[in-house]
Amino acid sequence: EDMTSLEARLLKSTGEFQVAGGAKPNDLAAIQVNTNNPNDWILAKVITHDSETGMFKLSDEDTESNKIFHLPESQVVILGGLERLSKGDIIYAVYPDTTSFYQATVVQVPRKVSGGSSFVTVHFIDDGDEHGITHDKAVLMKHVMRVPYGATIVNT
């Protein structure tokens, strides 16, 4: 086994690459814009990926922003390969009506809805209302990823 395939296998096993094969234009990705904060990930869309240099060009999925990012593979997680989740799993998911990822705990396993989309029901960390109750939130499976390498898991 050569170093490239060994490295790819190791990265896949850590969840860094959730989709087999290369990234394609319009693939959704989680990106780490600020490497000083390993918990800070936002939703973006792949414009191009240079497999020679490993560099990505991505657009911010926030409709208010026209930002374009040029990032190395180490700061990009292509979304979409996560299927098996169990109740109690800790994941990162896009908080509803935002483009930011936050730590969440799976409270109901993924299920499909009409139209073919799948969603998972989660509790986001620090998401209690004024009475301290954390409400279930449904998140599309295409907006979740495993906890990124280096992120701090907050125990609930």
Side-chain angles (χ1 to χ4, degrees), residues 82-142:
L82 202 54
E83 289 301 322
R84 290 190 186 88
L85 288 175
S86 304
K87 188 173 178 179
D89 282 355
I90 295 174
I91 59 172
Y92 265 48
V94 175
Y95 193 84
D97 301 319
T98 76
T99 56
S100 296
F101 285 83
Y102 294 97
Q103 181 182 317
T105 303
V106 175
V107 293
Q108 199 170 58
V109 295
R111 52 182 203 250
K112 279 198 181 337
V113 291
S114 59
S117 295
S118 296
F119 70 93
V120 61
T121 306
V122 301
H123 280 171
F124 283 95
I125 193 144
D126 297 331
D127 191 34
D129 63 16
E130 67 273 13
H131 305 292
I133 297 165
T134 301
H135 297 279
D136 293 355
K137 299 269 190 326
V139 179
L140 287 169
M141 284 298 290
K142 67 180 183 179

Side-chain angles (χ1 to χ4, degrees), residues 4-113:
T4 308
S5 62
L6 176 64
E7 185 178 82
R9 200 164 50 78
L10 287 171
L11 285 170
K12 281 188 178 89
S13 71
T14 63
E16 291 291 320
F17 289 95
Q18 293 183 194
V19 176
K24 297 179 297 305
N26 295 320
D27 280 353
L28 286 178
I31 62 170
Q32 183 185 34
V33 180
N34 178 359
T35 54
N36 294 327
N37 185 350
N39 301 331
D40 193 11
W41 292 78
I42 64 170
L43 189 63
K45 189 176 280 182
V46 174
I47 298 171
T48 59
H49 174 236
D50 184 333
S51 54
E52 294 291 311
T53 64
M55 290 300 289
F56 281 88
K57 182 178 178 183
L58 310 108
S59 62
D60 191 337
E61 276 291 271
D62 184 342
T63 53
E64 306 285 306
S65 165
N66 293 318
K67 284 189 186 153
I68 300 293
F69 299 97
H70 297 271
L71 297 171
E73 288 173 340
S74 60
Q75 290 171 247
V76 178
V77 175
I78 302 300
L79 301 174
L82 202 54
E83 289 301 322
R84 290 190 186 88
L85 288 175
S86 304
K87 188 173 178 179
D89 282 355
I90 295 174
I91 59 172
Y92 265 48
V94 175
Y95 193 84
D97 301 319
T98 76
T99 56
S100 296
F101 285 83
Y102 294 97
Q103 181 182 317
T105 303
V106 175
V107 293
Q108 199 170 58
V109 295
R111 52 182 203 250
K112 279 198 181 337
V113 291

